Amino acid sequence: MKVQVLGSAAGGGFPQWNCNCDNCAGFRNGSLNAKSRTQSSICVSSNGVDWALINTSPDIRQQIIDFPPLQPGRGKRDTGIRGVVLMDSQIDHTTGLLMLRELAHPLPIYCTDMVQQDLTTGFPVMNMLSHYCDTNWHQITPDGSGFQVEGVEDILFHGIYLSSKAPPYSPHRHDPHQGDNIGMLIEDQKTGGRLFYAPGLGVLEPHLLPYMQQASCLLVDGTCWLNDEMSTRGVGSKLATEMGHLYQFGEGGMIEQLGQFPDARKILIHINNTNPILNEDGVEREILKSNDIEVAWDGMQITL
Ligand code: MLT
Ligand code: MN
Ligand code: ZN
């Protein structure tokens, strides 16, 4: 299975347009050794021709330019995207659907009923697309049962509900429902390679562990280093956990939790612009390295 990281940043990207935190300012003035990052999205394929796009970021247009297999020239109008799989209804994961409106047929969207509800009410992009290419909704039941994306051979997806947060415009923001957010075990039935993907992961609940244990690669929530990072960086007051993201450093954090999976390749994605792990020369990178944890970047390819 080929896994392409199209975007590795959290909402806002890096640098964020209006942010002057130490990272964003340091990137702009050249004092920080860091890569710019677009908003979180990956795509997967077994044959390298037919791709499932997982989440659709507002940066999808640039991401397609940067990854030519998604834009093959087999016809006057063409795409390598066979379908879109959504992990939640957050702006950074769904706004790009509007940028795909020129498609010549209804866009296949695989998501839970909760996400479909958000995308037809609080953020009605599916209603809007009905005036363009239209969409074809395939319901994901987030109980781990397997499904395929039509046209993407040999890849089996398993959506698993998890505890994170529905977006502010969701009717479920303060009333969590199973399926507001999911993780995904993605397996290549030919190679046996298995990816566990969860860009929003607030708590490693026991029901997730069997899926994570099966995975040869864990590509998980790397939003914040510290739970109070937004306030220590002087750009906000919300805790990472209030936004549905498990912090990395400290007791009970992601680094400690990932220690349970010694055999898997471990990679952080959905990195917020405030996170010190963006600094490639920082002590935080050393800490990750010594824990055998990598940081995803735009253009990273993972073969499983
Ligand atoms: C989140 O996951 O919390 C989002 O990145 C927030 C956003 O997109 O505004
Ligand atoms: Mn996000
Ligand atoms: Zn910033």
Side-chain angles (χ1 to χ4, degrees):
M1 169 164 54
K2 296 167 180 40
V3 180
Q4 181 76 18
V5 174
L6 299 170
S8 54
F14 176 66
Q16 180 174 308
W17 69 282
N18 64 343
C19 191
N20 290 308
C21 75
D22 291 348
N23 281 345
C24 292
F27 179 85
R28 286 194 200 95
N29 70 26
S31 65
L32 189 81
N33 178 17
K35 294 181 171 72
S36 71
R37 285 171 158 82
T38 62
Q39 294 166 86
S40 148
S41 176
I42 65 170
C43 57
V44 300
S45 174
S46 177
N47 63 10
V49 176
D50 303 298
W51 296 82
L53 178 64
I54 308 184
N55 294 324
T56 310
S57 107
D59 303 313
I60 184 69
R61 182 179 172 279
Q62 189 59 44
Q63 292 170 345
I64 292 172
I65 290 171
D66 293 340
F67 187 56
L70 293 185
Q71 211 285 305
R74 297 168 297 196
K76 287 283 180 207
R77 293 268 165 103
D78 192 24
T79 177
I81 300 169
R82 292 280 156 269
V84 172
V85 179
L86 300 175
M87 317 291 291
D88 56 48
S89 57
Q90 294 270 3
I91 286 181
D92 56 344
H93 289 160
T94 59
T95 309
L97 293 170
L98 296 173
M99 281 79 208
L100 302 181
R101 67 190 176 282
E102 294 92 351
L103 196 69
H105 56 84
L107 178 67
I109 297 180
Y110 296 73
C111 67
T112 65
D113 52 352
M114 291 301 128
V115 170
Q116 192 263 356
Q117 273 179 31
D118 288 353
L119 297 182
T120 49
T121 57
F123 185 33
V125 290
M126 287 171 81
N127 306 1
M128 292 165 73
L129 284 173
S130 71
H131 301 280
Y132 298 88
C133 59
D134 208 359
T135 57
N136 190 356
W137 176 45
H138 302 257
Q139 185 174 350
I140 298 178
T141 309
D143 60 0
S145 51
F147 68 93
Q148 280 187 293
V149 170
E150 219 172 289
V152 179
E153 299 294 309
D154 301 318
I155 303 220
L156 198 57
F157 298 81
H158 307 261
I160 310 117
Y161 69 91
L162 52 74
S163 176
S164 184
K165 267 280 190 300
Y169 43 81
S170 168
H172 308 141
R173 175 69 169 183
H174 302 292
D175 174 27
H177 283 60
Q178 273 188 16
D180 288 335
N181 304 78
I182 60 170
M184 191 87 71
L185 183 70
I186 308 170
E187 53 175 319
D188 186 319
Q189 294 175 301
K190 266 197 179 151
T191 66
R194 289 192 176 106
L195 174 75
F196 181 82
Y197 180 51
L201 181 54
V203 186
L204 269 78
E205 296 166 287
H207 76 272
L208 293 176
L209 301 182
Y211 296 97
M212 297 180 76
Q213 277 150 3
Q214 287 178 51
S216 30
C217 179
L218 301 164
L219 184 57
V220 296
D221 194 326
T223 310
C224 291
W225 181 252
L226 297 175
N227 202 20
D228 61 356
E229 183 169 300
M230 300 297 281
S231 63
T232 57
R233 290 280 186 157
V235 293
S237 57
K238 278 188 195 154
L239 294 175
T241 46
E242 285 170 347
M243 298 186 287
H245 301 293
L246 177 63
Y247 53 90
Q248 283 123 48
F249 188 70
E251 207 184 325
M254 190 66 84
I255 297 173
E256 184 184 305
Q257 302 270 5
L258 290 179
Q260 301 173 63
F261 311 99
D263 300 328
R265 188 170 171 193
K266 296 172 277 285
I267 309 173
L268 299 175
I269 193 166
H270 190 276
I271 321 292
N272 199 52
N273 62 79
T274 50
N275 193 326
I277 65 176
L278 289 170
N279 177 1
E280 312 217 354
D281 303 328
V283 64
E284 294 82 4
R285 278 293 181 109
E286 291 299 318
I287 295 171
L288 290 182
K289 213 172 183 180
S290 64
N291 284 281
D292 208 17
I293 300 172
E294 300 167 65
V295 180
W297 42 277
D298 293 18
M300 183 183 207
Q301 300 184 335
I302 305 161
T303 305
L304 298 170

